[in-house]
Amino acid sequence: MSNKQPAAYINLEIYEDSINLLGVAKVQLPAIAFPCVNISGAGMMGEMEVPLYGMVSNMTTNINWLTPHGDAVKLMSPKKHQLDMRVAEEFWDVEQADVGVWADKYVMIVRPKTTDPGTVAPMGSADTSGEYVVYYFAAYRNGEQLWEIDKRNMKCVIMGVDYMADVRKALGKQ
């Protein structure tokens, strides 16, 4: 068990193409789900659900903006957008009884799916939101890659292990 335990996200900034700082937003990261098939047959007791090795279901992310202007509209463009979320995450060092900060980063390649301009009301933000299809999703902590899901290039790397390498090899792609 690590002596450093996560506490909370302190703040984040979102960039497009690693250089253009986007506006104030809150991001719901994509769920990583593994598609399953049901198998049954002789020697089994009924059906059994089996996750397909290294395959990943459709992923989507949601971004909530303050108003339907600027970056919310920019990301409506029906093209791919590379988004980098740079995050400062506080941790508690149990052994030293002190706190520290990890530099987290999430990288996604997305295309817009829906945009909801939100609500117009006095003394309130519009709660504009966008839903985006995710083709690529990677996460890093202090520069170390935690995972990389690349649907177009058939990669499912988790803690340095590429679970699709044998599949690509079997298909003659390596």
Side-chain angles (χ1 to χ4, degrees):
M1 181 167 131
S2 172
N3 290 330
K4 296 179 180 177
Q5 300 299 316
Y9 291 128
I10 298 169
N11 207 344
L12 78 138
E13 289 188 339
I14 305 171
Y15 291 82
E16 184 174 21
D17 299 326
S18 298
I19 52 172
N20 300 318
L21 178 61
L22 300 180
V24 177
K26 181 178 177 182
V27 179
Q28 173 64 51
L29 296 172
I32 299 170
F34 301 101
C36 298
V37 295
N38 285 327
I39 61 172
S40 63
M44 294 179 60
M45 189 173 90
E47 292 183 336
M48 185 168 76
E49 189 175 44
V50 178
L52 293 172
Y53 190 82
M55 298 295 286
V56 176
S57 295
N58 290 333
M59 296 182 292
T60 59
T61 187
N62 290 291
I63 302 177
N64 296 312
W65 306 94
L66 291 179
T67 63
H69 300 289
D71 299 313
V73 174
K74 182 179 178 183
L75 290 182
M76 281 176 59
S77 303
K79 64 180 189 92
K80 78 171 190 171
H81 301 273
Q82 179 176 318
L83 305 178
D84 297 359
M85 280 152 287
R86 300 172 193 175
V87 180
E89 181 180 5
E90 182 176 317
F91 65 83
W92 176 253
D93 187 325
V94 177
E95 194 172 276
Q96 299 299 318
D98 201 0
V99 298
V101 175
W102 286 316
D104 296 347
K105 182 165 95 168
Y106 299 96
V107 178
M108 293 186 283
I109 295 176
V110 304
R111 285 189 58 199
K113 184 174 178 179
T114 61
T115 299
D116 181 349
T119 304
V120 177
M123 298 184 297
S125 64
D127 297 325
T128 300
S129 64
E131 181 180 19
Y132 306 88
V133 175
V134 178
Y135 300 112
Y136 178 91
F137 183 32
Y140 302 85
R141 173 167 286 157
N142 286 334
E144 179 184 338
Q145 187 180 73
L146 302 175
W147 68 77
E148 178 186 32
I149 308 295
D150 186 346
K151 293 184 70 74
R152 293 198 170 167
N153 291 303
M154 294 181 61
K155 289 178 104 180
C156 177
V157 181
I158 301 171
M159 299 301 289
V161 177
D162 185 349
Y163 290 95
M164 289 299 287
D166 288 341
V167 174
R168 290 192 310 274
K169 184 176 179 183
L171 298 174
K173 300 177 178 190
Q174 199 65 352

